Amino acid sequence: MAQKKETQKLIANHKKAYHDYFIEESYEAGIALHGTEVKSMRMGKCSVKESFIRIENGEIFVYGMHVSPYEKGNIFNKDPLRVKKLLMHKYEINKLAGKVAEKGYTLVPLQVYFKDGKVKVEIGLARGKKLYDKRQDIAKKDQRREMERDFKVRNL
């Protein structure tokens, strides 16, 4: 049997999520879109910077995800900021709902990508960072950069 190679093409990334939150787990979900939205995403016109995810009545939705209107879409274009339904198995949604009910957990979209021709969203189960946590991360990054610089100078 020949194995099919999975192809992934990144559409949008939420880098700031890793700065603002501790990402505990990540999940993959499909997303319910209309035709012109998919065409717009194929052109890379999507943003998840200010979006968040909520679970309501056993269904999971993403709010604030901006999909620019498709240029040639005219009357078929939808509202760029409309609420989009995510597609996951019921047991996964129930598991996430239980975790979010715990204090301090939230759901954040980490990235949007094409996987085998379908639009997927990577969801992160996240816990908010405090200001001192962010400072620690910045200090570690600076320290690592300093060490790499010293190493580079010594090896020249």
Side-chain angles (χ1 to χ4, degrees), residues 24-28 55 58-60 88-102 105-107 123-126:
E24 306 281 322
E25 297 175 41
S26 64
Y27 298 88
E28 183 180 71
I55 299 174
E59 294 180 327
I60 189 164
M88 292 179 82
H89 291 286
K90 197 63 130 183
Y91 67 89
E92 286 181 312
I93 294 173
N94 292 338
K95 182 179 171 185
L96 285 174
K99 295 263 187 170
V100 170
E102 289 179 35
Y105 280 110
T106 186
L107 294 172
I123 298 170
L125 181 67

Side-chain angles (χ1 to χ4, degrees), residues 11 34-46 66-71 77 114:
I11 301 168
H34 294 305
T36 54
E37 290 176 318
V38 176
K39 288 180 179 187
S40 183
M41 283 193 168
R42 286 206 187 283
M43 295 168 67
K45 304 215 168 144
C46 175
H66 188 276
V67 179
S68 298
Y70 184 57
E71 293 150 11
N77 280 332
F114 277 105

Side-chain angles (χ1 to χ4, degrees), residues 11-105:
I11 301 168
N13 202 354
H14 191 182
K15 291 179 187 169
K16 198 159 168 54
Y18 292 99
H19 183 264
D20 292 340
Y21 302 100
F22 292 113
I23 307 298
E24 306 281 322
E25 297 175 41
S26 64
Y27 298 88
E28 183 180 71
I31 184 166
L33 296 170
H34 294 305
T36 54
E37 290 176 318
V38 176
K39 288 180 179 187
S40 183
M41 283 193 168
R42 286 206 187 283
M43 295 168 67
K45 304 215 168 144
C46 175
S47 172
V48 289
K49 283 194 172 73
E50 292 158 9
S51 57
F52 59 96
I53 296 171
R54 277 208 185 124
I55 299 174
E56 298 168 359
N57 303 328
E59 294 180 327
I60 189 164
F61 298 95
V62 63
Y63 292 83
M65 184 172 143
H66 188 276
V67 179
S68 298
Y70 184 57
E71 293 150 11
K72 301 176 183 115
N74 58 37
I75 61 166
F76 299 108
N77 280 332
K78 299 289 179 190
D79 177 32
L81 288 172
R82 77 176 181 86
V83 178
K84 294 157 191 69
K85 184 177 179 182
L86 297 180
L87 309 170
M88 292 179 82
H89 291 286
K90 197 63 130 183
Y91 67 89
E92 286 181 312
I93 294 173
N94 292 338
K95 182 179 171 185
L96 285 174
K99 295 263 187 170
V100 170
E102 289 179 35
K103 188 172 183 258
Y105 280 110

